[in-house]
Amino acid sequence: MNIPFATFAPMHHEIEEALNNAYRRVVEKGIFIQGEECRCFEEEFAAYCGTKYCIGVGNGLDAITLILRAMNIGRGDEVIVPSNTYIATALAVSNVGATPVFVEPDIRNYNIDATKIEEKITTKTKAVIAVHLQGRPADMDAINEIAERYGLRVVEDCAQAHGARYKGIRVGGLSDAAAFSFYPGKNLGALGDGGCVVTNNGELAEHIRYLGNYGSDYKYHHIFKGYNSRLDEMQAAFLRVKLPYLEHWNEERRNIAERYFSGISNKNMIMPPCSSEEFEHIYHVFVIRNNKRDELERYLLDKGIHTLKHYPVPMHMQQAYADMNIEEGKLPVAEEISKTVLSIPMYYGMSTEEIDYIIEQMNNYK
């Protein structure tokens, strides 16, 4: 048996006609930037997230960058980010001239450990970015309480958590503003790049919209030194087709995760936390840990099971952040996670036979 790490084929096959119709609709209208499709998607996605505003942008990295710019965070400022996340979270901070300050994750769930945030706050700290990694919400009550006490802004990085809920509230509406990525591999993915910002703050929403459109409030009138970062009509149209199916697709992922939880009994596998009433996980990826991760990776590939490592090198050990001079061993939890995590197949449309085969091979691993 040969099982890919992920495939879009089952999902796209079911909605192929609607995607083709969306493509034709955009082409026939001949409007490809800042048209009706993007406006409608923004309204629909804001309603889905339970927020007042949504601004379509070019990608998830731009979404965080624009939020920070609109919050007037820049050179000389510090922003707290998890030490265990995709590098885009830190790059956005660097892009506005601020300094990312890494806070270790909770080894049990891989998200930022809220109990370690306060010790990293200085007079330069302006914001905390809470990443809902792998589709599991961060501990937002604790993060927001600390931020309120110190007068900090809170930004959610929801790039991997479309539709996840924290205490019944969908992520995106738990902070000052939230960033989403619609990279094709996301639970709600475009057929190219895309992203958005959601917020309940009208002034912030307006500022972000202007910044993403060359700093322009209307044509040829520029009030900020802005960016070119807009969600194009074709991707918005495709996302409008997909959004009504997102809950169904997420539920399918949760069902697969439950199969893994109940079926994988190998004591060598360290399993992630499952969903709960407080943290409704949408399993963008399903990550296990193993002390001999590379051996397990080779074993599974030999059995036809494809996997990925999210992420094999922590941010502070990347050459891009060598100038921060953070020595190996200074962020031991992030380093431990990077050495042991392995993501196994998780996608809509997996067959019972494929899931059973993966469970069997995981249990047979010595």
Side-chain angles (χ1 to χ4, degrees):
M1 190 174 290
N2 185 55
I3 305 175
F5 173 71
T7 177
F8 309 131
M11 174 194 300
H12 288 166
H13 177 72
E14 291 182 5
I15 59 173
E16 182 177 3
E17 183 177 356
L19 290 173
N20 287 336
N21 288 340
Y23 166 79
R24 286 192 290 268
R25 187 170 69 242
V26 173
V27 171
E28 288 170 3
K29 286 182 179 177
I31 298 173
F32 302 105
I33 301 289
Q34 293 187 310
E36 182 182 357
E37 296 292 343
C38 186
R39 285 195 297 272
C40 288
F41 173 73
E42 289 175 342
E43 293 174 2
E44 291 158 5
F45 194 68
Y48 176 81
C49 292
T51 58
K52 293 180 181 178
Y53 308 100
C54 172
I55 307 96
V57 300
N59 53 67
L61 172 56
D62 284 358
I64 307 174
T65 303
L66 290 167
I67 291 171
L68 297 176
R69 269 287 310 272
M71 290 178 172
N72 296 314
I73 294 172
R75 193 167 304 280
D77 296 332
E78 295 177 350
V79 177
I80 288 173
V81 301
S83 59
N84 178 55
T85 184
Y86 185 55
I87 197 170
T89 312
L91 288 177
V93 178
S94 301
N95 284 351
V96 299
T99 300
V101 175
F102 299 126
V103 170
E104 288 275 71
D106 185 329
I107 191 70
R108 297 167 298 179
N109 58 48
Y110 317 134
N111 278 330
I112 192 168
D113 186 340
T115 66
K116 297 179 179 177
I117 291 175
E118 202 163 359
E119 64 192 50
K120 293 295 184 76
I121 295 174
T122 72
T123 56
K124 297 179 180 180
T125 308
K126 294 297 185 291
V128 179
I129 300 180
V131 180
H132 306 305
L133 195 67
Q134 302 165 6
R136 186 183 194 274
D139 190 356
M140 294 305 299
D141 280 354
I143 293 168
N144 282 323
E145 189 276 328
I146 293 169
E148 184 175 1
R149 210 153 18 95
Y150 285 89
L152 307 178
R153 309 301 290 268
V154 177
V155 178
E156 291 171 83
D157 181 342
C158 303
Q160 300 181 3
H162 311 67
R165 288 183 176 90
Y166 174 76
K167 296 185 177 181
I169 301 173
R170 282 208 179 99
V171 300
L174 298 160
S175 62
D176 293 295
F180 284 86
S181 165
F182 300 125
Y183 180 78
K186 307 300 184 183
N187 289 35
L188 179 64
L191 303 190
D193 253 327
C196 79
V197 174
V198 298
T199 182
N200 288 311
N201 185 318
E203 184 178 345
L204 197 63
E206 185 177 74
H207 195 164
I208 290 166
R209 188 176 297 283
Y210 296 164
L211 281 172
N213 187 36
Y214 297 96
S216 173
D217 54 349
Y218 60 89
K219 197 171 182 68
Y220 301 134
H221 186 260
H222 304 270
I223 54 179
F224 305 113
K225 295 174 182 175
Y227 304 81
N228 174 17
S229 184
R230 303 170 295 195
L231 180 65
D232 71 68
E233 287 290 281
M234 194 68 76
Q235 299 308 330
F238 292 145
L239 289 166
R240 292 187 69 199
V241 170
K242 288 186 165 189
L243 181 57
Y245 294 89
L246 181 57
E247 287 296 288
H248 171 58
W249 292 337
N250 283 346
E251 185 60 30
E252 178 76 6
R253 287 173 176 267
R254 281 190 286 269
N255 291 338
I256 295 168
E258 287 302 319
R259 293 283 308 281
Y260 283 153
F261 283 121
S262 62
I264 298 174
S265 57
N266 192 327
K267 302 297 184 184
N268 293 313
M269 308 300 168
I270 303 171
M271 305 286 280
C274 60
S275 289
S276 66
E277 289 186 5
E278 287 196 348
F279 301 89
E280 187 177 294
H281 206 315
I282 51 89
Y283 299 101
H284 170 60
V285 290
F286 191 94
V287 177
I288 61 94
R289 288 195 297 119
N290 185 276
N291 290 329
K292 295 186 177 180
R293 186 266 314 280
D294 294 344
E295 290 183 17
L296 174 61
E297 179 185 36
R298 289 190 293 270
Y299 163 84
L300 291 174
L301 185 59
D302 189 55
K303 301 296 183 181
I305 300 169
H306 296 256
T307 60
L308 281 178
K309 291 172 277 197
H310 294 96
Y311 302 98
V313 182
M315 292 181 293
H316 67 283
M317 300 301 295
Q318 297 280 0
Q319 184 176 346
Y321 283 105
D323 60 334
M324 295 186 73
N325 298 312
I326 302 176
E327 298 176 0
E328 186 173 0
K330 292 294 185 180
L331 295 170
V333 182
E335 291 171 21
E336 171 70 13
I337 291 171
S338 71
K339 293 173 184 175
T340 57
V341 287
L342 189 67
S343 300
I344 63 177
M346 168 62 75
Y347 56 89
Y348 174 76
M350 289 183 73
S351 69
T352 299
E353 293 74 22
E354 288 172 328
I355 298 167
D356 287 343
Y357 178 74
I358 292 168
I359 292 171
E360 179 185 7
Q361 299 309 319
M362 294 282 283
N363 287 335
N364 287 341
Y365 175 70
K366 305 294 184 184

